[in-house]
Amino acid sequence: MTTETLPKPLTLKHPDVLQCPYAAYEFLREEAPVYFDPVAGFYVISRYEDSRRLLSDRTALNSEHATEKLRGAADPERAKRIQQLFIDKGWPRARPVGNYEGEEYRERRDLFEQFLRAGKVREYDDMVRDIAYGLAERIAPNGGAEVVSEYCEQISLKVICGLLGAPDDALPIVKESMDAMMANLGHIGTEDEEVQGALKEIAAQHYFKKMIDEKRARPDDTILSAFVNAKFDSGRVMTDPEILMHVMLDLFMAGAETSAKALTSGIYYLSQDPALQKKLQSDLDGHLRTFSEEILRLEGPAAGLYRIALRDIELHGATIPKGSVVALRVAAANRDHRHFACPAEIDLERRNAATHLSFGSGAHSCVGAPLARRELYWGFKALLEKVEDIRLAEGEAVSWIPNLLFRGIPSLNVTFRAR
């Protein structure tokens, strides 16, 4: 797709744009840096400096109930029917941590940071490393693997299960519900598909509700126990729906699932560029952190961050009305030539690679970023120390999930040689 063949009217929900969005991003950055998507029902911001500035401007945008408002932007009646399904068969969808503001946000973020700040994450390094190397050693002799299910997802899911104290039998339940949550958040499927996905989420709610009850009766040192038993300054404790949302969306979906997709994208890029693969393997310690940041920049799993306009916003001659849903399309901003030289290329010498917006910016920057970076570091390091000559399997046709919010490859078969 080129800028000349973009669909009219342009919408980020078009199937061709979802598969290959880069021509659309180029058009938006250069011709319409403030754009109202008539199908999705939100305003799109696509340039780096605009996105970074707005993410830090608490007078212009906030996150209060942003996910709920995004769900209802295109079809509010459908959103109400789905929410009622959760009320009838499970627990109502509460807000993820990023959809709070003020004191409510601070007290929740403080709770997450007890377990996910950089200093604490260093305590998990041995666990993450051992999981990655154990999986890499298992697949290396096979000469190939479907790396999404056999490697990338296993790393991130096992890490989060370890932090929660969840048993191994949680993995298939979690995986099924994560796929459903990601699809439903993507705002692409039919209502029937969304209902089926909601029922899978509800099944996972029932599974984790049993764990919540256990942690209430027998507290321990896991992050789930901390959520269950925390008492905020106001004296209140979190409700079951709040805990379920923080576990299922904030930890598993926004944490584990996104890390797995970034790992997969990195392996895909390596399979397409033997020279890059050799250069990286020649000096893993020197290049691996920059490589991880470049993958996050080029194919960050969270393609957009969503906010609500607190006032009329004037930008580039356009007006975003107060109350509008605003999509800060960080996937477009991360390829803005005004900030990143040769933005479509992986540059292992890039000095500003870590300034990408894939983890957001400002007060609502991703609380799980330190853990995600360690998962990528050990995931790439373990694989590249155990195998070489990574290539796409013969006949493999790579596609990307049709999802408005997230970017990722659902399945990736590769071949390699054990080192």
Side-chain angles (χ1 to χ4, degrees):
M1 182 182 292
T2 67
T3 54
E4 288 75 24
T5 59
L6 289 172
K8 295 181 177 56
L10 175 59
T11 174
L12 295 180
K13 296 183 75 169
H14 192 281
D16 293 343
V17 174
L18 292 170
Q19 280 299 307
C20 187
Y22 305 117
Y25 292 166
E26 180 183 356
F27 173 82
L28 292 173
R29 283 192 305 265
E30 304 310 316
E31 304 296 333
V34 178
Y35 178 75
F36 181 73
D37 187 316
V39 178
F42 52 57
Y43 286 83
V44 182
I45 305 297
S46 51
R47 290 185 182 175
Y48 181 91
E49 288 302 330
D50 295 336
S51 299
R52 191 176 190 92
R53 179 172 57 79
L54 286 170
L55 283 168
S56 299
D57 187 347
R58 307 300 294 278
T59 72
L61 303 174
N62 78 6
S63 299
E64 195 90 42
H65 295 285
T67 300
E68 179 184 343
K69 291 177 181 177
L70 179 61
R71 289 185 193 276
D75 190 340
E77 293 306 313
R78 170 172 159 179
K80 289 178 183 177
R81 290 192 292 272
I82 297 296
Q83 180 69 315
Q84 190 61 48
L85 181 63
F86 277 87
I87 294 169
D88 293 342
K89 295 183 176 294
W91 289 263
R93 281 170 167 160
R95 284 180 276 169
V97 64
N99 279 195
Y100 289 87
E101 292 287 351
E103 183 62 18
E104 285 189 299
Y105 175 64
R106 184 201 62 78
E107 59 192 7
R108 281 169 170 75
R109 187 175 178 107
D110 285 350
L111 187 57
F112 275 87
E113 286 185 340
Q114 289 179 28
F115 292 85
L116 298 176
R117 65 181 184 274
K120 186 67 175 178
V121 164
R122 283 194 286 271
E123 298 179 17
Y124 313 144
D125 228 32
D126 289 350
M127 174 185 67
V128 181
R129 180 199 62 208
D130 291 348
I131 289 171
Y133 275 92
L135 291 165
E137 289 166 359
R138 182 188 303 173
I139 66 173
N142 299 336
E146 196 290 286
V147 291
V148 176
S149 61
E150 296 181 51
Y151 189 69
C152 304
E153 289 180 342
Q154 291 293 312
I155 291 174
S156 56
L157 288 174
K158 285 177 179 290
V159 168
I160 298 297
C161 280
L163 297 183
L164 284 170
D168 285 346
D169 67 7
L171 290 177
I173 297 168
V174 167
K175 171 56 183 165
E176 187 170 44
S177 65
M178 293 310 96
D179 287 345
M181 290 182 78
M182 184 162 286
N184 284 351
L185 281 167
H187 305 280
I188 298 299
T190 65
E191 183 165 350
D192 284 345
E193 290 169 336
E194 189 172 358
V195 166
Q196 292 307 309
L199 292 173
K200 292 176 182 177
E201 287 186 51
I202 291 166
Q205 284 184 331
H206 284 276
Y207 179 90
F208 282 111
K209 177 60 167 61
K210 293 177 183 177
M211 290 185 61
I212 288 169
D213 293 340
E214 290 172 2
K215 301 301 182 186
R216 241 181 225 121
R218 291 175 291 278
D220 55 29
D221 61 355
T222 63
I223 190 170
L224 179 57
S225 183
F227 287 161
V228 170
N229 298 293
K231 184 175 287 187
F232 295 133
D233 293 342
S234 61
R236 71 178 294 272
V237 296
M238 281 194 283
T239 65
D240 287 340
E242 289 172 329
I243 298 167
L244 287 167
M245 179 57 74
H246 291 329
V247 168
M248 292 173 60
L249 195 150
D250 291 316
L251 289 175
F252 277 114
M253 212 278 296
E257 191 71 17
T258 52
S259 295
K261 284 182 167 32
L263 269 173
T264 304
S265 294
I267 295 169
Y268 171 67
Y269 269 67
L270 291 172
S271 75
Q272 300 299 291
D273 193 339
L276 173 66
Q277 196 174 149
K278 288 179 180 177
K279 183 175 182 179
L280 186 56
Q281 283 182 310
S282 71
D283 185 6
L284 281 175
D285 291 337
H287 292 312
L288 201 50
R289 285 180 176 82
T290 302
F291 175 72
S292 297
E293 300 297 342
E294 284 286 80
I295 291 300
L296 288 166
R297 181 182 67 80
L298 285 166
E299 297 293 355
L305 304 173
Y306 295 85
R307 301 290 188 267
I308 307 302
L310 294 175
R311 55 175 170 81
D312 288 357
I313 299 171
E314 303 291 337
L315 186 63
H316 299 298
T319 300
I320 301 174
K322 178 181 178 180
S324 300
V325 177
V326 180
L328 298 142
R329 201 67 179 177
V330 295
N334 284 341
R335 290 175 178 245
D336 191 340
H337 66 86
R338 299 165 185 81
H339 187 78
F340 297 105
C342 303
E345 299 176 7
I346 289 181
D347 181 357
L348 298 181
E349 314 298 332
R350 194 183 298 277
R351 292 174 179 264
N352 67 343
T355 64
H356 61 76
L357 298 177
S358 294
F359 291 128
S361 183
H364 282 274
S365 61
C366 177
V367 68
L371 180 59
R373 285 185 161 111
R374 297 314 291 165
E375 289 176 341
L376 293 184
Y377 176 84
W378 287 116
F380 289 132
K381 186 176 176 67
L383 187 67
L384 291 169
E385 285 188 353
K386 297 301 177 181
V387 308
E388 60 187 356
D389 193 24
I390 301 170
R391 300 170 183 256
L392 285 185
E394 185 176 355
E396 179 74 349
V398 176
S399 63
W400 300 81
I401 56 172
N403 195 293
L404 184 62
L405 273 68
F406 299 99
R407 178 80 171 160
I409 300 169
S411 171
L412 186 67
N413 288 285
V414 300
T415 62
F416 43 66
R417 293 196 308 269
R419 297 188 74 181

